[in-house]
Amino acid sequence: MRHRFMAFIVLGILLATTVACGDTTTSPSGSGAIGGSPGESAPTGDANRAETLIVKAFRALDAEIGNPYIASSDALVSDGVHQLVFEPLFYANYYTGESEPWLANGYEYNEDFTVITLNLPEGVTWADGQPFTADDVVFTLEQILAAEEPYRAANIVASVASAVAVDPLTVEITLNAPNPRFVDTDLSMYIYTSNFIPLPKHIFEGEDFATFAFFDLEQGWPLGTGPYVLESIGADRSVLTRNEEWWAAEAGFAELPAPRQVIFSLTGPEDSLISELASGDVDWAGHYGLTPAGAQTALSQSDALQVFQTLDPCPWALTVNTAGTTNPFLTVTS
């Protein structure tokens, strides 16, 4: 069951679990050529259209920074790298309310919930082939604690007293106070972000953590343990290619994701998006490009299009019932 859920995270990529909020409209990959007007995407490299997943979820870069603990990395990291290049210790499963192990096999608390012991699996490697170990986890935590304003990691700074590598596959984290939910809130990856992403010590060591960009495509940076590597990124799209030697597939932990290539592209005008959906030139419409009327127009033009709903982990409103009924309640709507 755990492997099946994780396969959905990886193979479903971003269609619902990692970047979508609310209803989405999708179409299966088509085989026709894609036009060249601004905002449209076309397969690159060796992958053809049938092997390419195209999603409308891309923002122009603020800077060429792949270090997720620097604020100006947000657009580059969040639209593709976060989902496909980086991997967390745990994934948040919105359907069960539990944290699913990934780069960690599991965890244990001491009796008063002030010490967490993380157990890491054997055989995990970075995309450059170097082993992922407890040293990477501890090094990243130590850099976060030493940084003045690590992006998205302020709660880790407030919560963690220290971290040590007990052995290559065991990490012990000491907290400043009892916190039985720390793994769920800070060591697990959510739909859009993660407070803690392990970084490769063998690349970051000796660099200034607060300023090191971690961006050099020729060297494979930003580097992760995930099933894809960032091949190119520009003003209107990023292109990620499948890592054929992904550790999880090599270890039999998960299958390689089906798409050989994933393209994140700008949404563009709604009429262009409707046309791309209807012709099968886009696989996911994104969560901002279509109005309800636009979605209906696209659906009317192609029987292959699907609309689906999923649990929405980023609610857009909190509504309080003040009608004085006998059963007052809170409802979260999106």
Side-chain angles (χ1 to χ4, degrees):
M1 180 63 68
R2 177 176 66 138
H3 285 203
R4 265 175 41 189
F5 172 74
M6 286 304 136
F8 172 73
I9 291 286
V10 174
L11 298 179
I13 306 291
L14 314 160
L15 300 184
T17 311
T18 46
V19 298
C21 293
D23 296 355
T24 58
T25 303
T26 67
S27 74
S29 296
S31 58
I34 299 176
S37 60
E40 294 185 340
S41 301
T44 62
D46 295 329
N48 59 36
R49 178 65 183 95
E51 300 170 316
T52 301
L53 177 69
I54 301 177
V55 299
K56 290 296 184 179
F58 183 82
R59 291 170 293 164
L61 303 186
D62 295 322
E64 291 184 340
I65 294 178
N67 181 345
Y69 298 104
I70 297 177
S72 55
S73 71
D74 183 64
L76 187 154
V77 169
S78 296
D79 300 342
V81 173
H82 167 71
Q83 295 88 351
L84 304 180
V85 175
F86 293 156
E87 291 183 311
L89 298 175
F90 302 90
Y91 280 101
N93 184 333
Y94 291 101
Y95 287 89
T96 67
E98 298 177 352
S99 293
E100 303 277 353
W102 195 251
L103 290 185
N105 282 330
Y107 64 93
E108 294 180 357
Y109 275 96
N110 66 345
E111 290 186 0
D112 66 355
F113 296 98
T114 58
V115 178
I116 306 167
T117 301
L118 300 175
N119 301 306
L120 310 182
E122 294 186 46
V124 179
T125 59
W126 298 98
D128 62 2
Q130 293 295 312
F132 167 79
T133 72
D135 285 341
D136 295 305
V137 176
V138 171
F139 174 81
T140 305
L141 283 170
E142 289 178 340
Q143 297 304 304
I144 290 172
L145 295 179
E148 290 187 8
E149 295 182 359
Y151 187 52
R152 293 200 181 108
N155 193 52
I156 293 177
V157 174
S159 301
V160 176
S162 64
V164 296
V166 177
D167 59 48
L169 298 178
T170 307
V171 176
E172 187 175 274
I173 301 173
T174 300
L175 304 177
N176 290 316
N179 189 344
R181 298 197 66 238
F182 184 77
V183 170
D184 298 320
T185 59
D186 289 276
L187 299 185
S188 298
M189 180 179 283
Y190 288 80
I191 186 172
Y192 177 67
T193 61
S194 180
N195 291 345
F196 181 73
I197 291 293
L199 296 174
K201 178 181 178 181
H202 65 282
I203 293 176
F204 272 76
E205 193 167 30
E207 302 287 350
D208 184 341
F209 187 75
T211 61
F212 181 49
F214 194 36
F215 184 88
D216 187 330
L217 295 183
E218 291 186 1
Q219 297 196 65
W221 301 347
L223 177 77
T225 59
Y228 289 84
V229 296
L230 181 63
E231 177 181 299
S232 65
I233 191 165
D236 67 344
R237 74 193 63 184
S238 62
V239 179
L240 300 104
T241 57
R242 190 173 65 190
N243 177 10
E244 303 298 331
E245 297 179 348
W246 181 40
W247 69 269
E250 297 279 317
F253 184 68
E255 295 181 2
L256 277 173
R260 293 179 58 200
Q261 177 176 259
V262 179
I263 295 176
F264 283 69
S265 63
L266 288 176
T267 300
E270 184 178 28
D271 57 348
S272 296
L273 181 55
I274 292 171
S275 176
E276 290 175 295
L277 284 167
S279 61
D281 290 338
V282 167
D283 297 302
W284 184 59
H287 47 276
Y288 295 121
L290 283 180
T291 62
Q296 288 297 326
T297 300
L299 288 166
S300 70
Q301 294 179 6
S302 173
D303 293 335
L305 291 175
Q306 302 175 48
V307 172
F308 62 90
Q309 294 181 327
T310 186
L311 292 178
D312 192 343
C314 46
W316 291 30
L318 177 66
T319 304
V320 180
N321 180 2
T322 60
T325 61
T326 57
N327 295 301
F329 61 91
L330 296 178
T331 59
V332 178
T333 61
S334 60

